[in-house]
Amino acid sequence: MKFKQIISAAVCFMAVLNVSGQSYSQLSGYTFEKGNKYVGTLIGKEGPVKLIGAGSEKFRLKGYKLYVNTKALNDKWRDVMIADNENHIDTFRIVRNDFLKNPVVAHRGAWKNTGETENSIGSLKKAIELGCSGSETDVHLSGDSVIYIHHDPKLQGVAIEQTTSAELSKLKLSNGEQLPTLEAYLQEVMTQNKTKLVLEIKASIVSKERSLALTKKVLNMVHEQKAQAWITYISFDWDVCKLIRQLQPYANVEYLNGDKSVGELSENKMNGLDYHYSVLKKNEAIFKEAGEKNIDVNVWTVNDEADMDWLLKNKADFITTNEPEILLKKLAK
Ligand code: MG
């Protein structure tokens, strides 16, 4: 893996990314706003690049800065293809920023009051239907390196990490769905542009190496599926968060474990904290410190109405809950 840290926009093409032996480019932004024509700066390429393919007339590259003609572009999203001199092609999905601004993140999807199974495609669909700004989910790596959606390391007594995808694909969730893969989950979330996926990278029960291998695989898949605009990454594992930041300077990353100060998160260029509400109850100053350092405050898992009220009063950016219906009702008042 080769990576040279980006120093500034002017020299950003020093960055060379090579994840799992596969090099690719990235942008500093994947969404566009109406009337806001700048999308982002392309990184990871060296030498001249040009726009190619159908629809490229909707975009302009000036140097390595990508602009969109919002007047000509009414679509919710559009893929833009970029080629370098050696005809290496990268495709990016640029998404109109219709993402909801409410603080409601459905924990493992919306399952508790919907009859769906947690972490199923069905629970993701329900979170989208409800109008949550985010739907949280968890991923593990199978024995043969396929990424699966599930909370616990085991499903029906079967250890995901020590089982092949051929065996795992035979397992059914309680709502009748197959155990979902991350690929299927990304395909589902990308049918719309209102609800994002809050994607928790679970630490391996086998080794740190496997946690980091899972992280790289997830980043690769998100790149391949062109899903960057939809994703916030979260993890309890600090090394996982740091690896995401290193490989994806512009990905949205929040740390879960509650033991880093706002200052440490800011120094390590994290976008947010995602802490248990008890951590914030003990130290209410976090709200103010986070606001000053531009660190998003996400809080889990908040199911009690009094706790929701307290977090709304303190203007938490995101509240992760098994009761998204209750929280949405409060916000509608
Ligand atoms: Mg989780």
Side-chain angles (χ1 to χ4, degrees):
M1 184 182 71
K2 289 186 290 176
F3 181 80
K4 290 181 206 161
Q5 186 64 44
I6 298 150
I7 298 160
S8 73
V11 290
C12 67
F13 276 79
M14 288 174 65
V16 178
L17 293 163
N18 191 328
V19 182
S20 304
Q22 189 187 10
S23 77
Y24 58 76
S25 310
Q26 52 188 291
L27 279 165
S28 61
Y30 291 89
T31 59
F32 67 92
E33 312 268 351
K34 208 176 176 190
N36 178 7
K37 292 179 182 170
Y38 173 64
V39 172
T41 302
L42 182 66
I43 61 168
K45 285 261 181 245
E46 289 170 341
V49 283
K50 59 180 187 255
L51 294 169
I52 58 166
S56 63
E57 72 282 358
K58 312 277 188 196
F59 297 90
R60 287 274 176 285
L61 258 179
K62 288 184 190 164
Y64 297 112
K65 287 192 169 175
L66 183 69
Y67 295 82
V68 63
N69 182 349
T70 49
K71 278 194 192 124
L73 187 60
N74 296 314
D75 317 343
K76 284 182 181 169
W77 54 78
R78 184 62 83 112
D79 289 349
V80 52
M81 287 168 77
I82 291 167
D84 66 13
N85 270 351
E86 288 160 9
N87 260 340
H88 297 127
I89 293 170
D90 265 302
T91 310
F92 303 98
R93 182 156 299 171
I94 311 300
V95 183
R96 195 173 68 207
N97 193 358
D98 297 337
F99 291 105
L100 294 164
K101 301 286 191 275
N102 67 60
V104 185
V105 177
H107 182 233
R108 308 179 195 170
W111 51 273
K112 193 177 166 198
N113 307 307
T114 62
E116 285 295 343
T117 304
E118 64 177 45
N119 271 330
S120 63
I121 299 270
S123 72
L124 171 61
K125 283 182 174 171
K126 292 290 183 193
I128 293 167
E129 270 173 44
L130 282 172
C132 303
S133 69
S135 187
E136 191 261 2
T137 193
D138 310 281
V139 292
H140 298 268
L141 197 59
S142 73
D144 57 346
S145 295
V146 175
I147 308 165
Y148 281 93
I149 301 284
H150 196 58
H151 180 265
D152 296 340
K154 287 185 180 179
L155 170 64
Q156 295 152 23
V158 177
I160 295 171
E161 283 201 71
Q162 279 125 347
T163 307
T164 63
S165 50
E167 290 301 312
L168 291 168
S169 66
K170 293 176 193 160
L171 298 177
K172 292 262 190 288
L173 303 178
S174 57
N175 67 352
E177 276 180 35
Q178 264 189 358
L179 180 65
T181 59
L182 175 62
E183 189 174 359
Y185 233 68
L186 293 178
Q187 290 298 319
E188 186 60 42
V189 82
M190 288 196 293
T191 59
Q192 50 83 51
N193 60 331
K194 307 266 192 211
T195 303
K196 291 193 179 185
L197 196 62
V198 180
L199 204 169
E200 180 178 348
I201 298 183
K202 284 287 186 197
S204 167
I205 53 167
V206 177
S207 67
K208 179 68 87 177
E209 286 69 30
R210 276 185 60 90
S211 299
L212 300 179
L214 168 62
T215 306
K216 289 179 186 176
K217 281 218 163 266
V218 169
L219 296 179
N220 270 340
M221 176 162 284
V222 168
H223 180 78
E224 281 162 20
Q225 300 288 318
K226 302 185 281 291
Q228 290 95 336
W230 281 265
I231 308 294
T232 293
Y233 296 99
I234 57 175
S235 186
F236 281 96
D237 188 319
W238 183 238
D239 294 327
V240 165
C241 290
K242 285 198 297 185
L243 182 62
I244 301 168
R245 176 48 67 245
Q246 182 195 356
L247 297 174
Q248 301 266 291
Y250 300 104
N252 196 23
V253 189
E254 298 174 352
Y255 176 60
L256 281 164
N257 204 36
D259 58 348
K260 301 281 181 208
S261 69
V262 168
E264 278 175 283
L265 296 171
S266 176
E267 276 160 31
N268 286 279
K269 298 185 168 53
M270 297 299 157
N271 303 86
L273 57 86
D274 186 357
Y275 287 175
H276 190 258
Y277 60 88
S278 63
V279 175
L280 288 113
K281 285 240 158 129
K282 270 185 233 150
N283 183 7
E284 281 198 39
I286 289 179
F287 290 107
K288 187 161 175 278
E289 288 165 19
E292 286 165 1
K293 299 244 188 226
N294 213 13
I295 294 286
D296 282 343
V297 174
N298 190 346
V299 190
W300 55 273
T301 301
V302 184
N303 302 322
D304 182 83
E305 288 206 46
D307 292 329
M308 288 179 187
D309 291 341
W310 176 73
L311 289 164
L312 289 173
K313 193 184 86 192
N314 280 292
K315 299 194 166 48
D317 297 288
F318 301 101
I319 300 171
T320 303
T321 177
N322 294 335
E323 306 278 2
E325 297 87 349
I326 293 175
L327 188 52
L328 285 163
K329 208 178 264 179
K330 282 180 185 294
L331 290 159
K333 274 184 192 161

